[in-house]
Amino acid sequence: MSSTTNTASTPGVVDSVNADELAAKTAHKRYEGLVTVRTKAVKGKGAWYWAHLEPMLVHNSDTGLAKAVKLRCSLCDAVFSASNPSRTASEHLKRGTCPNFNSLPKPISSISPTSNTTTPNLASPSSTSHNHRKRSSSSSTHNRVSPITVVDPSTPRYCSSEIAYSSSPVVPVMNISHRMNYQQAVQQQPPPQQQVVVQQQQHQQQHFVLSGGREDLGALAMLEDSVKKLKSPKTSPGPSLTKTQIDSAFDFLADWVYECCGSVSFTSLQHPKFKAFLQQVGLPPIVSRKQLVGTKLDLKYEEVKVESDARIRDAMFFQIAANGWKRGLDYDDLVNLTVNLPNGTSLYRRAVFINGASSVPSEFAEDVLRETITEICRNAVQQCVGIVADRFKSKALQSLENQYPWMVNLSCQFQGFNTLIKDLYKNLPLFKTVSENCLKIGNFVNNTNQIRISFQKHHQLHEAGCTGLIRVPCRDFQNYGPMHAMLEDILNSAQALQLILHDEAYKIISMENPVARDVADLVSNVGFWNELEAAHSLINVIKEKAQEIENEKPLIGQCLPIWDELRSKVKDWCSKYHIFEVSVEKLIERRFQKNYHPAWAAAFVLDPLYLIRDTSGKYLPPFKCLTPEQEKDVDRLITRLVSREEAHIALMELMKWRTEGLDPVYARAVQMKERDPVTGKMRIVNPQSSRLVWETYLTEFKSLGKVAVRLIFLHATSCGFKCNWSLLRWVNANGYSRAGMEKAQKLIFIAAHSKLERRDFTNDEEKDAELLALVNGEDDVLNDVYVDTSSA
């Protein structure tokens, strides 16, 4: 019988324990939220009463778990419910219930209206200024005098945000002696975290009226500042630094300005607040703009250029990367020329300003590239083994390759994938149909007043994101970006578009407007939404791959696997959305052939990274992944890159490499991977090992090894340094000033050198835009606490 009773009561005990644990968890969350809010308030970002109210946990005497949250008055140790701290403060503190609160200085909002001759109560600066901001609307201001926070001349300047001015024409001010007594009392206060100011009013203070009104406060503070300096002339406003430290600090400041490349203007260094900052940290507030853009800039440029030239001379060969020939929206007037070294580093070389030219002839690009090569190599032109550029593959790059047969000149793969998206918009019937239908919907919704208002109302209620207009581009498909943005807007507004069809205003308009009826048919058609989703999905597949190429900057050995992966994803896409594969595959194959270079296949089979383990345990090059034509391309390219005398030797070594491959231990060492802690993807542990194996272990392949080490390190993209828009806008406005362009060249060189050294390929202004887009409200934590408590 006893066992039966115990067994029956077990579920109830478990339920009770679970309920207690849930209540304890809720109480802890509430307590932590209130502590966070109080911490913010202590720092001046919250209500005044948190200086006197402290959250506390009440525990269950039986289980030891937290069961409730209370508020304790730090003045009288009374305990209250934590459900409404504001009401607790009003009833306990402001209405006189607390016996110790009246003896303390009160915040502005708690001071009752008095006459102009009454001595004002002094409150702590933080609570005064904060309460003045938060609660000024709750009390009358026409018949009371707010206390004036006394200015401390030792603080930088007298325009502190903590000075509270009275709206009364009669301004009570403490005289200097009383002010000194006040400062001594403040210095003897407990720490600000306690927020308890123990100060008693000694006697009635004498008042006088400033004849100049509030404008005299600054002059009065300056007078007191002068008195203090005369009384203690040895006191310095900031730390004392040696000349060496000051010079070093200004050198760091100059480097920072240069490396920001236009984000920080030289004129901003003359801002009074910046000068005050320099003085506060012990630096002389004198920054010469002429020196920064003159001798100092020239010296920094020479220092960086000497270092860059030395690193290029140490390398046996290099590749030139030219980015910016393809006209875009962001970098229309700037072409960046970069040097890629075999060890994986990149060095900035020069910037070429196009100055708003609508089109750049291929002859001009060829001259610029040739001039850059000869400037670096002088007579040893063989040191440059290739070029990668985002344009002019069939003209300028091919011409240079014909003149210098040892060169391998490639087109940028990032640009190739972006151009593929443009091909889809131009040539694929699905994209033409979807684009036309979306343009019709977007123009109708944006240009019809009643429909637009209804759309924004439904969008705000039922959709996430902005409630503005649909982003409708011009009827120009040269740039796919605005068109893709319109497709995203309409896809994200599907529910709002369907809801406006049921509005009376839309029904009335559709009776007279045939476009409204067409739009209603489209929005109601399931096939339209399926086609829109299919087009949007395919563009996202290609865009994600292009973004991956831009971020990872693959070498040419990866080009064939990248395109194979794209074909596989497109095949899955066609199967999912029941799209005829042939038309899409034709567009992809045509773009592939325009970007293809025989060096892709040669680097793919020569790079030990792509060796395949066969059944015998050997690691062999992946010739079976090549088409017969690509195998011929490998033979022709290797023959071209060596001398005539070495051609047959190189082909024999290629056959040996094909049959024997690489020692398994070395092959596994080259292909060893680790997980990237940032992206979570698997990456090669030592990317340089592919080239180093040819130079140190595979020394028997003398002729083939020369070709391999020159092919393996070549980059497949020209992406690199991104200049800030602010400097580009300046260049567009002052493009014909020779002196100004020279300064801009040097600034870009210094900034690009620093970013490439850090492998930072982002744009500062883009990162700022992402930061500003984050939602971070000041009261989010408190709101979360109240919401969770009410829901519990």
Side-chain angles (χ1 to χ4, degrees):
M1 190 71 173
S2 176
S3 61
T4 304
T5 306
N6 293 339
T7 305
S9 63
T10 300
V13 174
V14 172
D15 293 341
S16 176
V17 171
N18 292 337
D20 291 342
E21 291 178 351
L22 181 62
K25 184 178 179 181
T26 303
H28 272 288
K29 191 169 184 181
R30 170 68 167 164
Y31 173 74
E32 291 172 359
L34 292 176
V35 169
T36 302
V37 174
R38 185 176 186 273
T39 304
K40 281 189 176 182
V42 168
K43 296 179 180 179
K45 296 182 179 180
W48 61 271
Y49 49 78
W50 286 112
H52 311 297
L53 300 180
E54 300 177 358
M56 58 179 293
L57 274 174
V58 179
H59 296 272
N60 192 315
S61 59
D62 297 330
T63 62
L65 298 175
K67 66 176 183 178
V69 182
K70 300 291 184 178
L71 292 178
R72 186 181 69 86
C73 176
S74 61
L75 301 177
C76 65
D77 292 334
V79 179
F80 306 92
S81 170
S83 60
N84 195 330
S86 176
R87 185 177 63 188
T88 300
S90 299
E91 295 178 354
H92 180 65
L93 297 177
K94 296 178 66 174
R95 295 183 181 178
T97 308
C98 179
N100 300 327
F101 181 70
N102 293 330
S103 62
L104 292 178
K106 298 180 182 179
I108 295 176
S109 61
S110 62
I111 299 177
S112 59
T114 58
S115 63
N116 292 342
T117 59
T118 304
T119 303
N121 293 327
L122 294 176
S124 64
S126 60
S127 60
T128 303
S129 60
H130 184 81
N131 204 46
H132 180 71
R133 180 177 72 251
K134 295 251 180 172
R135 298 180 172 271
S136 57
S137 60
S138 62
S139 59
S140 175
T141 58
H142 69 280
N143 61 345
R144 67 179 175 87
V145 178
S146 301
I148 297 179
T149 302
V150 181
V151 180
D152 186 357
S154 62
T155 59
R157 291 300 50 130
Y158 316 106
C159 52
S160 170
S161 60
E162 295 184 353
I163 298 179
Y165 293 105
S166 171
S167 59
S168 174
V170 181
V171 184
V173 181
M174 290 187 294
N175 57 29
I176 296 175
S177 60
H178 290 164
R179 178 185 174 278
M180 297 301 180
N181 294 334
Y182 173 75
Q183 287 182 340
Q184 293 174 1
V186 170
Q187 292 174 358
Q188 296 173 1
Q189 295 179 28
Q193 290 79 5
Q194 299 179 11
Q195 290 292 306
V196 178
V197 183
V198 182
Q199 178 184 357
Q200 300 292 335
Q201 293 184 344
Q202 302 295 334
H203 54 81
Q204 284 294 101
Q205 300 174 358
Q206 180 182 359
H207 306 312
F208 58 91
V209 177
L210 297 176
S211 59
R214 291 192 300 179
E215 300 299 328
D216 279 349
L217 291 176
L220 175 62
M222 292 178 64
L223 172 61
E224 297 181 352
D225 192 9
S226 300
V227 171
K228 185 174 181 180
K229 288 181 179 179
L230 291 174
K231 289 186 175 181
S232 55
K234 295 182 180 181
T235 304
S236 61
S240 177
L241 301 177
T242 64
K243 187 179 184 303
T244 304
Q245 291 174 322
I246 293 175
D247 293 341
S248 177
F250 277 121
D251 287 340
F252 282 119
L253 174 64
D255 292 346
W256 172 65
V257 174
Y258 298 150
E259 294 176 10
C260 286
C261 195
S263 295
V264 178
S265 68
F266 293 98
T267 304
S268 65
L269 301 180
Q270 302 295 321
H271 195 282
K273 297 293 184 182
F274 183 74
K275 290 184 175 182
F277 164 75
L278 294 179
Q279 190 173 14
Q280 187 70 16
V281 298
L283 294 173
I286 302 173
V287 181
S288 174
R289 289 182 298 168
K290 292 183 178 180
Q291 186 180 7
L292 283 177
V293 298
T295 56
K296 207 169 189 64
L297 176 61
D298 297 337
L299 290 174
K300 183 65 178 179
Y301 170 74
E302 290 299 329
E303 175 189 342
V304 174
K305 194 169 188 306
V306 167
E307 178 188 350
S308 177
D309 291 343
R311 295 171 67 179
I312 294 176
R313 284 195 303 269
D314 289 342
M316 295 179 61
F317 38 81
F318 61 84
Q319 178 194 37
I320 294 290
N323 186 60
W325 299 116
K326 194 76 172 179
R327 310 308 301 277
L329 294 177
D330 297 338
Y331 308 103
D332 285 351
D333 298 323
L334 179 66
V335 178
N336 294 304
L337 296 172
T338 310
V339 177
N340 297 324
L341 301 182
N343 60 9
T345 60
S346 298
L347 300 172
Y348 195 79
R349 189 61 194 178
R350 61 182 293 201
V352 178
F353 298 105
I354 302 175
N355 293 336
S358 58
S359 63
V360 179
S362 62
E363 293 80 7
F364 174 75
E366 183 178 342
D367 292 341
V368 169
L369 294 172
R370 184 185 296 106
E371 178 185 345
T372 304
I373 294 171
T374 54
E375 177 188 354
I376 298 173
C377 303
R378 297 186 181 180
N379 297 329
V381 188
Q382 292 82 1
Q383 193 179 3
C384 178
V385 297
I387 301 171
V388 57
D390 58 349
R391 196 183 172 195
F392 304 120
K393 177 181 183 291
S394 60
K395 294 182 179 180
L397 296 184
Q398 187 63 49
S399 175
L400 289 170
E401 197 172 273
N402 294 336
Q403 298 174 43
Y404 309 110
W406 64 85
M407 283 190 182
V408 174
N409 296 339
L410 311 166
S411 60
C412 175
Q413 291 311 293
F414 173 73
Q415 190 60 48
F417 273 68
N418 285 327
T419 310
L420 175 60
I421 298 177
K422 195 182 299 182
D423 294 341
L424 294 175
Y425 273 109
K426 280 186 175 181
N427 303 307
L428 198 63
L430 170 67
F431 281 83
K432 287 184 177 181
T433 303
V434 169
S435 299
E436 291 294 332
N437 291 336
C438 289
L439 281 171
K440 180 181 292 186
I441 295 174
N443 285 322
F444 175 74
V445 172
N446 289 349
N447 299 329
T448 308
N449 187 39
Q450 291 177 315
I451 304 302
R452 182 179 65 252
I453 295 173
S454 178
F455 169 76
Q456 292 175 339
K457 179 186 68 175
H458 289 300
H459 195 289
Q460 188 174 9
L461 291 175
H462 302 284
E463 308 286 352
C466 181
T467 60
L469 301 176
I470 296 175
R471 292 173 289 181
V472 178
C474 301
R475 299 182 68 87
D476 180 10
F477 301 102
Q478 296 298 321
N479 191 338
Y480 74 87
M483 184 62 64
H484 187 64
M486 179 184 66
L487 265 61
E488 283 187 336
D489 285 353
I490 293 180
L491 192 61
N492 294 332
S493 306
Q495 187 175 0
L497 289 171
Q498 291 170 355
L499 288 174
I500 63 174
L501 301 182
H502 303 288
D503 291 349
E504 289 298 328
Y506 193 94
K507 294 178 181 179
I508 296 174
I509 293 176
S510 62
M511 295 174 62
E512 302 176 356
N513 191 339
V515 178
R517 293 193 292 271
D518 293 343
V519 170
D521 293 339
L522 286 174
V523 174
S524 304
N525 188 359
V526 178
F528 162 74
W529 293 107
N530 289 337
E531 291 179 348
L532 175 59
E533 183 182 357
H536 183 265
S537 175
L538 180 58
I539 296 303
N540 281 344
V541 168
I542 302 176
K543 281 184 66 178
E544 289 173 3
K545 199 63 188 175
Q547 189 65 44
E548 181 181 333
I549 291 173
E550 184 183 22
N551 295 336
E552 297 183 0
K553 297 178 173 48
L555 306 180
I556 61 169
Q558 298 172 256
C559 290
L560 291 180
I562 286 174
W563 282 91
D564 288 342
E565 183 182 352
L566 176 65
R567 291 189 184 97
S568 176
K569 290 185 176 181
V570 170
K571 188 174 182 179
D572 294 340
W573 173 83
C574 291
S575 176
K576 178 180 179 181
Y577 292 100
H578 309 289
I579 305 295
F580 188 55
E581 294 183 20
V582 176
S583 56
V584 184
E585 289 178 350
K586 283 183 178 179
L587 290 175
I588 294 177
E589 189 60 29
R590 187 175 69 178
R591 180 52 53 188
F592 171 80
Q593 292 298 334
K594 287 184 177 181
N595 284 267
Y596 174 75
H597 193 284
W600 291 12
F604 181 58
V605 297
L606 291 177
D607 194 337
L609 182 63
Y610 304 105
L611 296 179
I612 300 175
R613 187 176 183 270
D614 67 356
T615 55
S616 64
K618 292 182 178 180
Y619 281 79
L620 302 177
F623 276 93
K624 63 181 182 181
C625 298
L626 303 181
T627 64
E629 188 61 31
Q630 289 173 350
E631 288 190 27
K632 296 177 182 178
D633 289 339
V634 175
D635 295 341
R636 286 192 290 262
L637 180 70
I638 292 176
T639 303
R640 177 169 71 86
L641 295 181
V642 298
S643 62
R644 290 184 178 181
E645 295 77 12
E646 293 180 299
H648 69 286
I649 300 175
L651 292 177
M652 291 175 61
E653 292 177 350
L654 179 63
M655 291 300 297
K656 182 180 179 181
W657 170 252
R658 182 171 185 169
T659 56
E660 295 184 3
L662 181 62
D663 181 89
V665 176
Y666 279 88
R668 290 198 299 268
V670 171
Q671 297 178 0
M672 189 177 295
K673 295 183 178 181
E674 65 181 1
R675 189 170 300 279
D676 191 327
V678 178
T679 63
K681 298 180 179 180
M682 299 301 293
R683 64 180 181 184
I684 301 300
V685 174
N686 183 8
Q688 307 306 318
S689 57
S690 295
R691 175 179 52 84
L692 295 176
V693 164
W694 280 100
E695 293 180 340
T696 59
Y697 180 71
L698 298 173
T699 54
E700 56 185 304
F701 300 94
K702 297 187 181 298
S703 299
L704 186 62
K706 294 178 183 178
V707 177
V709 295
R710 282 165 169 77
L711 285 179
I712 290 174
F713 89 97
L714 293 178
H715 291 228
T717 67
S718 59
C719 306
F721 169 70
K722 291 184 179 180
C723 188
N724 291 327
W725 302 322
S726 52
L727 183 62
L728 290 178
R729 285 193 296 268
W730 183 91
V731 169
N732 290 334
N734 303 274
Y736 297 98
S737 170
R738 181 176 179 180
M741 297 302 288
E742 288 180 358
K743 301 295 184 185
Q745 282 271 12
K746 293 178 179 179
L747 279 174
I748 293 175
F749 188 91
I750 296 171
H753 179 83
S754 172
K755 281 205 165 189
L756 293 176
E757 187 77 17
R758 305 193 308 266
R759 299 191 63 81
D760 180 7
F761 305 106
T762 58
N763 181 284
D764 293 341
E765 280 135 349
E766 290 176 355
K767 290 190 291 187
D768 289 345
E770 294 176 0
L771 178 65
L772 294 175
L774 296 177
V775 179
N776 186 19
E778 179 181 305
D779 297 325
D780 286 349
V781 176
L782 182 59
N783 292 337
D784 291 342
V785 171
Y786 285 139
V787 169
D788 292 342
T789 303
S790 60
S791 63

